[in-house]
Amino acid sequence: MKVIATNIGQKRIIKYRGKEIETGIYKSPVEGGIFLEKEDVKGDDVVDRRYHGGVDKACYLYSTKAYEYWKPLYPNLDWNYGMFGENITIEGLDEEILKVGDRYRIGEALIEISQPRQPCFKLGIRMGTQAILKQFINSPFSGSYVRVLENGQVNVGDMLQLVHEETASPTILEIYETLYQKEIYTSKINKILNCHLVPESAKNDIKKRL
């Protein structure tokens, strides 16, 4: 897996349904890389810390393969990396392979896979239609949040090197499917709820489905 883009966003005030709303989802590639810290990315505005930033969501990864999926669906958008709010765009990222607790060295930083992204209406604002929310949850491209175990610089061209694999943990895709698919599998639920590395926020959302 290889870093293709490093992205930063500044807080914006936008109008939505007659109200002014702050958001940090408008991210775009930056030269010189980014610096990962324990609760966020340095210089990246985090507006609502109930849902973004913090130890379990310090940095968000998304795949270049997902862009290939979305571009034909929205050909009129002015495409650039960072459009899904990701801090790092990665070639070869695969939610079916990433497991919660897997640790990777990326540049100077050490990261740990934590949970999938759950989309909200601000993604719809960014993409110009709320219809993308249903499309997003029905796609296999959730991306992944990570914990930052060791702060450090990440640059374009850096490789993700697996340094520890949690073989018994659920994959990011397993959690994502359990959150949103109509069919709920007891084996998957037990695997997720019994894993101490899955954040409580994700577990609580799954419990609500039950």
Side-chain angles (χ1 to χ4, degrees), residues 15-203:
K15 287 188 176 181
Y16 179 68
R17 295 182 177 177
K19 296 181 179 180
E20 289 189 344
I21 297 172
E22 291 184 340
T23 180
I25 198 171
Y26 287 84
K27 303 189 193 305
S28 57
V30 294
E31 296 182 2
I34 57 177
F35 191 84
L36 274 54
E37 298 180 332
K38 290 293 168 51
E39 295 195 11
D40 49 34
V41 174
K42 187 175 182 180
D44 184 50
D45 283 345
V46 178
V47 174
D48 191 343
R49 288 190 175 273
R50 292 175 300 170
Y51 305 110
H52 305 285
V55 172
D56 292 324
K57 297 180 178 179
C59 178
Y60 177 48
L61 316 180
Y62 203 57
S63 71
T64 55
K65 184 178 180 180
Y67 278 84
E68 297 171 8
Y69 172 86
W70 291 111
K71 284 181 179 179
L73 297 177
Y74 294 94
N76 296 325
L77 290 179
D78 184 15
W79 285 97
N80 205 347
Y81 292 129
M83 288 183 68
F84 288 86
E86 79 272 16
N87 300 109
I88 307 177
T89 317
I90 296 177
E91 181 181 72
L93 188 78
D94 189 341
E95 291 87 345
E96 194 171 3
I97 294 175
L98 295 177
K99 293 182 290 296
V100 175
D102 284 353
R103 296 182 180 183
Y104 290 86
R105 178 67 65 180
I106 176 173
E108 298 175 347
L110 179 65
I111 61 174
E112 182 178 271
I113 302 300
S114 60
Q115 66 187 93
R117 185 255 194 91
Q118 296 175 248
C120 72
F121 73 97
K122 292 181 180 179
L123 176 62
I125 293 173
R126 178 68 181 89
M127 306 303 286
T129 174
Q130 294 299 320
I132 196 171
L133 298 185
K134 186 174 182 180
Q135 294 172 320
F136 193 92
I137 65 176
N138 287 328
S139 81
F141 304 113
S142 66
S144 179
Y145 284 109
V146 301
R147 304 178 180 102
V148 177
L149 304 182
E150 293 179 11
N151 296 2
Q153 180 75 15
V154 176
N155 297 314
V156 172
D158 285 342
M159 304 297 293
L160 273 74
Q161 299 176 325
L162 181 65
V163 297
H164 172 76
E165 182 178 7
E166 282 288 337
T167 56
S169 288
T171 66
I172 289 298
L173 186 59
E174 284 179 319
I175 297 174
Y176 197 58
E177 289 177 340
T178 303
L179 283 165
Y180 292 113
Q181 282 191 351
K182 291 182 179 180
E183 294 183 350
I184 300 177
Y185 297 94
T186 303
S187 59
K188 283 186 179 181
I189 291 175
N190 290 337
K191 185 177 181 180
I192 294 167
L193 296 183
N194 291 330
C195 180
H196 72 283
L197 293 168
V198 175
E200 288 302 316
S201 59
K203 289 182 179 180

